[in-house]
Structures are given as structure tokens and as C-alpha cells.
Amino acid sequence: MEKVKYFVENQAFGVCTRLGEKFKISTSSIRLYFIYTTFITMGSPIIIYLILAFWMNIRRYLRQRNNPTVWEF
């Protein structure tokens, strides 16, 4: 079970983990918030989650593009 949890947390978008680190809130409570609000509002937090994930990936891409490694020249 730990291997599955580790895989999901590292290979998924990491939005909840990033928000937890930023606001110093436990990651599990943020995940529960997303789950509960998704059921209550019929799925609209999923859109917010995907937008945040997209934004995090774009920022990572732009950082890599501005700081190329030796092998990318």
C-alpha cells in the first residue's frame, strides 16, 4: 500500500502537496476538502485542481527553459 501511495503522490500533479507546503496545512485535509467540495458542488473543484496542476507544470517548463543544462546546448 505504501508503494501505491508513494507512486500516486509523486506521479500525480502534486497540487495538494504544494498547497499544503505553501499554507502550512496538512496535505490530507486539503485532499479531503477537494473530495467533499467535489461531491457537494458536482465537480467544479476538479476544474480548479486541473488549472492549478496546469499552472504548476507551465512554471516548471518555463524555469527549465530559462536555465538550460549543459546537455541542452
Side-chain angles (χ1 to χ4, degrees):
M1 190 62 168
E2 285 295 319
K3 289 181 181 181
V4 173
K5 181 180 175 184
Y6 179 77
F7 176 78
V8 169
E9 287 180 355
N10 287 332
Q11 300 299 324
F13 298 118
V15 173
C16 295
T17 306
R18 176 79 174 173
L19 287 174
E21 291 172 355
K22 186 114 177 146
F23 295 118
K24 297 180 178 139
I25 302 171
S26 74
T27 306
S28 61
S29 64
I30 294 173
R31 287 186 183 128
L32 284 175
Y33 168 76
F34 271 116
I35 291 168
Y36 292 148
T37 55
T38 300
F39 283 122
I40 291 171
T41 61
M42 305 298 178
S44 64
I46 293 174
I47 296 168
I48 295 169
Y49 185 89
L50 292 174
I51 289 170
L52 289 172
F54 176 75
W55 182 255
M56 287 173 50
N57 285 333
I58 288 293
R59 288 180 64 199
R60 186 180 312 139
Y61 172 75
L62 291 176
R63 281 189 204 135
Q64 288 176 350
R65 191 169 152 225
N66 289 335
N67 299 323
T69 62
V70 175
W71 305 109
E72 294 175 357
F73 285 117

